[in-house]
Amino acid sequence: MKAIYIEAFAGISGNMLLGALIDAGVPVDYLAAEMEKLHLGAYDLINERVNKCGIAANYFNVVLPEELQHDVMIGQHEHTHAEHAHAGHHHHHENGDAGHAHEDNHHGHTHVHEHGNCPHQHEHTHEQQIAVAVPQMYHHHEHRNLQAIAQIINASDLSVQIKERALLVFTALAQAEAKVHGKTIEEVHFHEVGAIDTIIDIAGCVLALEYLGIEKVFVSNIHTGSGFVKCAHGLMPVPAPATAELLQGLRHSHGSIAKELTTPTGAALMQVLATSCDDIPSGFSGTKIAYGAGTWELEIPNVLRVNIGEWEAGCGSGDLLVAECNIDDMSGEVYPYVQEKLLQAGALDCWLTPIIMKKGRPAQTLSVLLTPDNLDKLTELLLTETTSLGVRYYAVHRHINYRKFTTVTLPEGEVRIKYAQMGEKIVNIAPEFEDCKALALKGGRSLKTIMQAATAAAEAQLEQ
């Protein structure tokens, strides 16, 4: 399957990840057109090539009317978030160098303002900013809670799958903020400005992953930075409390940089979409490397490195586990959701088997194939996302054929092909179903005809 391995040696944020995915081949025009389906109002997108310690990278950011006017006035002068607070407006640059969220308590509600570089200074040059004439300073006082943001996303014209995945990330973000501030999710309010660019970062990353056909996301140990940052409520430790909450279950460390490098949005994206690993995953074969830039000039390259390639779970022979539970009291609507979460969390496979339990009750056995090091994580997921009161597991052995991948070109477009090989003999040729489906939906030929043509092209390629 097509996968990415993210190296977060300089932290991670939403816009760093999106910048890297654009560098990997996602057209900015495509993202801009999809973002218009959210009906968020006026904003501009920055997308440019920058250099970080000799590495060429892609820098992406969202600029709102308030920020455009403010940056035009400031030019190359530096400013701090303390000055922003005094000015009475919110300025958001989530550039992968910091991610502190603070709260303003009004009438029992927590207003989350996620600052990209709090309290550090950031520099803006005219090359980095879009030259836009704004007639007046805009001040946004509207705040939105998770329900309001969900309404925006659900009312958009984006696909159902994109909406669902974006909302999972936003929900994780809101849950972390609520826990940190001792509030309910309903009481956590995102400032209008912060909400808009965070929606774009989150929805943009989900869209970009879909565009690239990424089925599996891995992330390395995440460097958070270290020390303390001074914000509205005093000194806060690095990582910021919400970020620390979101990093639970993911490998992370402070590293040697005394700055705040990982943002809540970056951590939320990894918490929902990625599987944590110490090194390049076994079975991963890279084909391309892309870089997304942050703002800081550090002693190390301030970039997020993304390796794009193919991943085959459990390459070769080896011992695995099957974890399973019998369930007779859960809605059938929940099973696909749980299976998707299991696969996103690193399950090698999962399946349902109809069974009859005691007293003749119909039920389902939910089975999960997994590596031993992922047992605790997937067991916890089974016990929290299903109605089961327990999980049993046992060792299994398997042998799999060697797999290799290629791409064939049909008149309608490209199709990925998977070969299964036993020794020197090719024993199976399988065109990627989703690729064939996409070409068939364009019209012209049926799905089965596309699949047959792709298989024939693959066989001809082998004979060359």
Side-chain angles (χ1 to χ4, degrees), residues 213-245:
I214 303 302
E215 301 173 76
K216 187 70 178 176
V217 178
F218 294 98
V219 63
S220 71
N221 177 70
I222 299 172
H223 279 163
T224 64
S226 61
F228 289 82
V229 291
K230 185 177 181 181
C231 289
H233 296 280
L235 292 175
M236 289 286 182
V238 175
T243 305
E245 193 67 37

Side-chain angles (χ1 to χ4, degrees), residues 29 48-49 52 56 125 127 196 200 226 247 309 320 398 446:
D29 290 344
E48 62 181 5
R49 300 296 291 172
K52 296 291 181 179
T125 68
E127 287 77 13
I196 289 174
I200 291 173
S226 61
L247 289 171
L320 300 172
R398 76 167 179 175
S446 67

Side-chain angles (χ1 to χ4, degrees), residues 40-229:
L40 294 174
Y43 59 84
D44 281 285
L45 303 180
I46 292 179
N47 182 64
E48 62 181 5
R49 300 296 291 172
V50 298
N51 193 287
K52 296 291 181 179
C53 294
I55 294 178
N58 210 69
Y59 175 77
F60 175 87
N61 204 6
V62 181
V63 183
L64 296 149
E66 174 184 352
E67 296 178 278
L68 285 169
Q69 172 70 9
H70 195 55
D71 291 329
V72 168
M73 292 189 303
I74 289 175
Q76 294 188 12
H77 295 294
E78 296 178 341
H79 53 283
T80 68
H81 284 281
E83 293 168 340
H84 284 210
H86 180 71
H89 67 273
H90 171 76
H91 192 73
H92 178 96
H93 282 278
E94 187 185 19
N95 299 325
D97 309 298
H100 178 68
H102 72 268
E103 60 168 335
D104 295 329
N105 268 324
H106 300 294
H107 309 296
H109 294 292
T110 297
H111 297 162
V112 176
H113 304 258
E114 183 176 312
H115 293 316
N117 289 307
C118 175
H120 313 302
Q121 298 169 328
H122 30 247
E123 302 174 354
H124 304 285
T125 68
H126 290 293
E127 287 77 13
Q128 289 176 320
Q129 296 297 337
I130 301 171
V132 176
V134 182
Q136 61 181 343
M137 179 74 74
Y138 288 82
H139 293 280
H140 299 273
H141 299 289
E142 182 180 350
H143 295 78
R144 296 187 173 107
N145 63 6
L146 180 62
Q147 182 180 3
I149 290 172
Q151 289 174 348
I152 291 172
I153 294 174
N154 285 327
S156 74
D157 300 319
L158 296 172
S159 70
V160 173
Q161 183 178 2
I162 296 298
K163 292 177 184 179
E164 290 177 348
R165 298 188 81 189
L167 283 174
L168 283 174
V169 179
F170 242 115
T171 300
L173 188 58
Q175 288 173 336
E177 296 287 358
K179 182 174 181 180
V180 166
H181 300 304
K183 306 290 183 180
T184 65
I185 290 181
E186 292 74 21
E187 291 175 311
V188 174
H189 282 61
F190 296 85
H191 189 281
E192 183 183 30
V193 177
I196 289 174
D197 55 1
T198 305
I199 289 172
I200 291 173
D201 283 347
I202 290 173
C205 286
V206 174
L207 280 162
L209 290 170
E210 181 187 67
Y211 181 90
L212 294 172
I214 303 302
E215 301 173 76
K216 187 70 178 176
V217 178
F218 294 98
V219 63
S220 71
N221 177 70
I222 299 172
H223 279 163
T224 64
S226 61
F228 289 82
V229 291

Side-chain angles (χ1 to χ4, degrees), residues 314-354:
C315 283
S317 303
D319 294 341
L320 300 172
L321 299 177
V322 170
E324 59 186 27
C325 51
N326 295 343
I327 305 171
D328 65 355
D329 58 349
M330 191 169 79
S331 169
E333 298 172 327
V334 179
Y335 287 104
Y337 170 81
V338 175
Q339 288 179 286
E340 182 179 356
K341 292 204 70 174
L342 288 165
L343 292 171
Q344 289 177 351
L348 304 180
D349 197 3
C350 58
W351 61 94
L352 289 171
T353 306

Side-chain angles (χ1 to χ4, degrees), residues 8-13 16 95-99 120 223-226 238 254-263 296 298 300 302:
F9 50 78
I12 185 170
S13 69
M16 283 181 83
N95 299 325
D97 309 298
H120 313 302
H223 279 163
T224 64
S226 61
V238 175
H254 287 297
S256 59
I257 307 297
K259 294 183 185 297
E260 194 171 15
L261 301 179
T262 296
T263 70
W296 283 109
L298 305 173
I300 64 173
N302 187 16

